[in-house]
Amino acid sequence: MHLAYPAVLAALLFCVGLYGVLARRNAILVLMSVELMLNAVNLNLVAFDVWLRDTLHSGQALTLFTIAIAAAEIGIGLAIVLAVYRNRGTSDIDRLRDTAETDDAEKLPDSAGTDTDGTDGTEPTPGRADEKTGKTKKAEATT
């Protein structure tokens, strides 16, 4: 068997996987594309192991290691995608770039007793909207 056949097949698989990672918007399809790329690498490892006639079969050992890593990656990746889908309602990657959850998170005090905007939450900052009336408060003129 010539080395060119599995090498060309692996290159095609890797290119299809790379296209899937770069062009897809669905997180599950991106994970499937990463798996395609890892399988292309596995095919190359086994093909070169057979072609070199390695007595230790290093290519096959590395292939088993890569399969174990791929299984762990898909398990953790799928768990993350499912958790994000439950929280956000979508697995579209472009919509997940905004990590801000809600406006309510800005008003919650942190452990130091200050709001996340830097104020202590007791007095409104001049020029900010009053939450109850919706009007902006003007700074009192100093005399």
Side-chain angles (χ1 to χ4, degrees):
M1 177 172 81
H2 295 287
L3 184 61
Y5 298 132
V8 168
L9 180 62
L12 290 174
L13 276 176
F14 193 84
C15 289
V16 168
L18 186 64
Y19 173 75
V21 167
L22 296 176
R24 297 293 178 189
R25 300 192 191 287
N26 191 342
I28 295 175
L29 292 177
V30 170
L31 286 174
M32 288 173 54
S33 299
V34 169
E35 290 295 320
L36 267 179
M37 291 177 9
L38 287 173
N39 284 331
V41 170
N42 288 339
L43 183 61
N44 265 335
L45 285 172
V46 171
F48 277 98
D49 182 51
V50 169
W51 185 64
L52 294 174
R53 296 183 184 162
D54 188 16
T55 57
L56 294 177
H57 298 293
S58 302
Q60 293 179 16
L62 284 173
T63 299
L64 289 175
F65 181 71
T66 307
I67 289 171
I69 294 297
E73 174 258 335
I74 199 69
I76 292 172
L78 195 57
I80 290 171
V81 168
L82 287 175
V84 167
Y85 181 76
R86 285 182 183 165
N87 287 335
R88 300 276 178 111
T90 183
S91 64
D92 188 9
I93 293 175
D94 289 338
R95 291 185 180 179
L96 298 179
R97 291 186 185 182
D98 183 26
T99 57
E101 296 206 6
T102 60
D103 292 333
D104 296 335
E106 294 177 359
K107 296 181 184 2
L108 295 176
D110 60 4
S111 61
T114 60
D115 285 344
T116 55
D117 61 355
T119 61
D120 61 355
T122 57
E123 296 178 309
T125 305
R128 291 189 70 196
D130 187 11
E131 295 175 15
K132 293 180 181 177
T133 61
K135 299 178 182 177
T136 59
K137 294 194 173 199
K138 296 181 182 177
E140 295 180 4
T142 58
T143 57

